[in-house]
Amino acid sequence: MNALLIYPEFPETYWSFKHALKFVGKRAAQPPLGLMTVAALLPSTWKKQLVDTNVERLRDRDLAWADVAMVSGMHIQRKALLAIVERCRARGLRTVVGGPITSSVPAAELKADHVVIGEAESLISGLARDLEEGTAKPVYQADERPAMATSPLPDLSLIKMHRYSTMAVQYSRGCPFNCEFCDIIEIYGRRPRTKAVAQVLAELDQLRAAGWREAVFIVDDNFIGNKARAKELCVALAEWRSQYKTSFDFNTEASLNLADDPELMQLMKDAGFISVFLGIETPDESGLIASNKLQNTRRSLLESVAKIQSYGMQVMGGFILGFDTDREDIFDRMVEFIQTSGIPIAMVGLLQAMPGTQLFRRLRGEGRILDAGDGDNTDVKLNFIPHMDAPRLVEGYRSVLKRIYSCEAYYERVKLYLSRTHPRHEMRTTRQRWLTWSNVRAFVTSIVRQGVFGRQRWSYWRFLAQAATRYRRCFGTAMTLAVMGYHFQVMTQKLSKAMDSARQPAESGAISLREIGRQTR
Ligand code: B12
Ligand code: SF4
């Protein structure tokens, strides 16, 4: 059998990093690790090709070569995924759809011949056999979540590695917490399952052997879901790095209680972690309690963030507006919190009720669900009726984005973060990473786009001058963040413009909001 694995294109969002990737000559942030894992699970006698439409075109001759198309995706890729399925089916090509989208969109709506719901480790051999015999079922779903020991070494040979800015390695799945809006725990469960340390090191060896020397994202739902196992891996990573004298830097996602464990933060620092994404959600404690984000309560959020930053790790933060508890002052409080936190990359989204979550079930019970949403919480498409007047919420959301991504505000946060990180750590990473071809290219492009043609070029030059003098030890990090800021500034301008042109009077806030959503799509 010839299997064609296809990854649909992402829409342009805050999360696509599209406008920053251009600076370094990359086409996407990360490769489709799910498909690379599925490829490795398929019989070795099968021939495989992978087309990630975020970095290359899907050609008719790829489709002509294939006996089966295996398509993956998130909810947000739905439109592009459906178009691919339709294109395959029009040519009579058998289609299989899998990935996180199958947990939020009913199988029948995916229009594929076969749908694999959830994690696939225990299902692929049966599916492959059935496909060969022509007896494949419409839907496959495992009774139990697989042990991570059964997850194979992803097939790295199928991707065009240098078109991505980061490589992905997964250590664990699942998270022990129970946030109401979260679909991670519905898809991957609340009991963190980890690979063996040796599996992770084998993946890193594979990347190194293929010539990869840049950043690696440990794509766990919550890297510290099982702290003991996280510590075990960190020790091994530190040894691995010193053995190969490699410059691999690691990024990951974790929960805020990381700040309670100095040993773990030190081990992460020693292992080469330079950034961590944290779900902070809201500075309003009543919102945290109502959404069951209890691990963020009874503490100073700002102190917790500063503690993690003091270990040389940049904190990226996820924030949500639209909780039932949000009052008129939430927008100002959010901006003030973000500005004093020193979190340059603050992903602020409107609350989305993802199908399958506890939040979705509650709101449906209260008659407040408008539709299933589209999986993107960084634009203005609310899929439920909020407590706050909906147009007010959307306007407040826009005002937060405009304020935090104005050049001045953004550079202030970068400077605060730089002043907090450990200078020695920064010097090490700066020396190792700064003089690469892609960084030099990014620097020159940044000067031209932001310094010569940028609308706020004076802020940019002021920042550059300070970075070169006051923060010269971490000049590389400063430049990387300047380039990333460009993406957020462009996205904020685009969203704001789209909202202006879509704004129109309407009888009901919810309807007007959906209209804005349709027009900005
Ligand atoms: C890394 C990551 C990213 C990367 C991109 C990765 C990439 N290239 O795809 C970044 C950081 C850019 C990102 C962004 C976003 N992400 Co994201 N991301 C992840 C994360 C943490 C890991 C993905 C991964 O590599 N997993 C490892 C692989 C091995 O797992 P897997 O993909 O699930 O694959 C398994 C099965 O699903 C199945 N499978 C997968 N594909 C296929 C295909 C076939 C044919 C078959 C049979 C089986 C199969 O087999 C695999 C082995 O079991 C996941 C969480 C998670 N645990 O997966 C969230 C996750 C996928 N992201 C999510 C979301 C919502 C987003 C954003 C929309 C964020 C936002 N709030 O706006 C953006 C969208 C991007 C954009 N441009 O706008 C959601 C998706 C929810 C959903 N129901 O669709 C997840 C599940 C997290 C969550 N909150 O629940 N993300
Ligand atoms: S901490 Fe994050 S991953 Fe864990 S349940 Fe809450 S939102 Fe989900």
Side-chain angles (χ1 to χ4, degrees):
M1 293 276 270
N2 288 349
L4 179 64
L5 300 117
I6 311 173
Y7 203 48
E9 199 174 352
F10 282 106
E12 189 181 327
T13 70
Y14 277 85
W15 276 103
S16 68
F17 302 111
K18 186 177 154 195
H19 300 283
L21 288 167
K22 283 183 197 151
F23 284 63
V24 277
K26 304 285 182 177
R27 300 200 192 166
Q30 287 182 30
L33 188 61
L35 280 179
M36 292 156 69
T37 306
V38 169
L41 288 162
L42 288 170
S44 56
T45 48
W46 284 28
K47 293 202 180 85
K48 299 148 208 168
Q49 273 186 41
L50 193 156
V51 176
D52 176 358
T53 59
N54 294 286
V55 305
E56 63 200 306
R57 268 185 334 112
L58 176 63
R59 299 161 308 178
D60 283 341
R61 72 176 133 109
D62 299 324
L63 299 173
W65 168 86
D67 297 313
V68 59
M70 307 190 79
V71 192
S72 177
M74 304 183 199
H75 193 178
I76 196 172
Q77 289 158 288
R78 176 186 176 138
K79 208 170 145 198
L81 180 142
L82 290 176
I84 289 170
V85 170
E86 201 181 305
R87 187 170 158 198
C88 294
R89 294 197 64 170
R91 299 180 63 102
L93 182 58
R94 190 156 287 278
T95 49
V96 184
V97 167
I101 191 170
T102 59
S103 308
S104 18
V105 177
E109 287 179 28
L110 293 169
K111 306 270 190 311
D113 298 304
H114 316 286
V115 173
V116 177
I117 301 174
E119 297 167 63
E121 275 77 1
S122 58
L123 299 171
I124 296 293
S125 60
L127 168 74
R129 190 193 51 233
D130 295 349
L131 284 169
E132 281 173 347
E133 293 171 359
T135 57
K137 295 177 284 192
V139 175
Y140 288 78
Q141 183 164 18
D143 299 331
E144 284 182 4
R145 295 193 173 93
M148 293 293 281
T150 60
S151 200
L153 193 64
D155 193 338
L156 190 62
S157 69
L158 295 176
I159 60 160
K160 300 187 172 57
M161 197 170 71
H162 292 286
R163 294 194 179 169
Y164 301 93
S165 63
T166 311
M167 284 295 117
V169 169
Q170 190 175 44
Y171 180 43
S172 72
R173 289 183 195 154
C175 172
F177 295 110
N178 194 17
C179 307
E180 190 194 28
F181 51 80
C182 178
D183 66 341
I184 285 283
I185 46 179
E186 310 289 342
I187 309 177
Y188 304 101
R190 287 188 58 203
R191 193 176 56 81
R193 289 161 290 141
T194 61
K195 289 181 181 167
V197 166
Q199 281 176 278
V200 174
L201 296 187
E203 292 186 35
L204 294 175
D205 284 340
Q206 176 177 242
L207 286 170
R208 203 179 150 270
W212 187 255
R213 294 291 180 271
E214 295 171 53
V216 172
F217 202 109
I218 308 283
V219 293
D220 292 10
D221 305 317
N222 182 355
F223 179 67
I224 65 161
N226 180 334
K227 284 188 178 181
R229 298 301 312 261
K231 286 177 187 175
E232 206 183 311
L233 181 67
C234 285
V235 172
L237 290 180
E239 275 169 21
W240 186 87
R241 268 169 57 107
S242 68
Q243 181 188 347
Y244 293 112
K245 306 213 171 350
T246 143
S247 59
F248 273 42
D249 287 326
F250 297 109
N251 310 294
T252 195
E253 306 187 344
S255 44
L256 194 77
N257 57 323
L258 171 60
D260 306 337
D261 195 330
E263 185 197 359
L264 181 51
M265 289 187 286
Q266 185 60 47
L267 287 172
M268 285 178 73
K269 178 181 173 182
D270 296 343
F273 281 87
I274 57 161
S275 80
V276 54
F277 181 89
L278 305 174
I280 295 172
E281 324 306 1
T282 176
D284 177 39
E285 180 135 320
S286 62
L288 295 169
I289 293 170
S291 56
N292 212 23
K293 190 123 201 161
L294 302 180
Q295 69 275 24
N296 286 16
T297 61
R298 295 186 303 277
R299 63 167 73 240
S300 159
L301 293 171
L302 287 173
E303 275 171 25
S304 299
V305 168
K307 217 177 269 173
I308 298 172
Q309 289 166 330
S310 75
Y311 284 82
M313 287 184 276
Q314 186 199 147
V315 171
M316 296 187 265
F319 297 91
I320 297 177
L321 287 165
F323 289 121
D324 286 353
T325 42
D326 283 354
R327 300 284 165 263
E328 210 18 66
D329 63 355
I330 191 65
F331 308 111
D332 291 341
R333 287 176 67 191
M334 185 73 89
V335 172
E336 195 192 329
F337 179 91
I338 291 171
Q339 287 308 117
T340 36
S341 67
I343 296 179
I345 298 179
M347 292 298 202
V348 186
L350 281 176
L351 184 64
Q352 273 235 351
M354 294 276 273
T357 58
Q358 301 170 67
L359 176 68
F360 190 89
R361 292 192 285 274
R362 173 169 72 79
L363 295 177
R364 192 176 47 196
E366 294 171 6
R368 294 168 61 194
I369 290 291
L370 296 170
D371 54 48
D374 64 1
D376 181 7
N377 69 349
T378 60
D379 62 9
V380 292
K381 289 168 283 186
L382 276 184
N383 73 329
F384 71 100
I385 300 170
H387 269 185
M388 189 184 286
D389 173 58
R392 174 69 196 108
L393 176 55
V394 172
E395 190 46 47
Y397 175 52
R398 168 164 72 169
S399 86
V400 169
L401 289 177
K402 275 180 94 167
R403 283 185 279 168
I404 64 169
Y405 285 118
S406 77
C407 268
E408 291 296 345
Y410 178 76
Y411 292 140
E412 277 313 311
R413 296 204 298 284
V414 175
K415 285 186 280 179
L416 184 56
Y417 155 65
L418 294 177
S419 69
R420 280 182 187 169
T421 49
H422 197 288
R424 275 185 50 213
H425 170 92
E426 279 300 332
M427 215 153 78
R428 181 166 56 78
T429 55
T430 299
R431 274 206 202 123
Q432 281 176 350
R433 289 188 307 147
W434 182 228
L435 272 180
T436 64
W437 164 238
S438 83
N439 283 347
V440 172
R441 174 191 169 135
F443 183 57
V444 175
T445 317
S446 167
I447 299 270
V448 175
R449 282 206 191 185
Q450 297 176 270
V452 180
F453 296 109
R455 277 199 213 164
Q456 298 181 11
R457 46 188 173 274
W458 297 120
S459 305
Y460 173 82
W461 283 112
R462 232 184 345 264
F463 171 72
L464 211 64
Q466 286 169 343
T469 50
R470 241 186 277 169
Y471 307 105
R472 63 183 182 284
R473 289 176 158 190
C474 34
F475 188 72
T477 309
M479 282 314 299
T480 304
L481 284 167
V483 165
M484 295 194 74
Y486 179 76
H487 169 75
F488 296 113
Q489 281 141 24
V490 173
M491 286 307 301
T492 305
Q493 278 160 19
K494 282 192 167 191
L495 185 66
S496 211
K497 227 186 204 163
M499 282 175 70
D500 278 340
S501 60
R503 207 196 307 248
Q504 54 181 342
E507 324 78 61
S508 134
I511 302 291
S512 132
L513 200 64
R514 287 157 109 190
E515 195 50 41
I516 289 171
R518 260 198 290 280
Q519 295 185 30
T520 51
R521 229 162 273 192

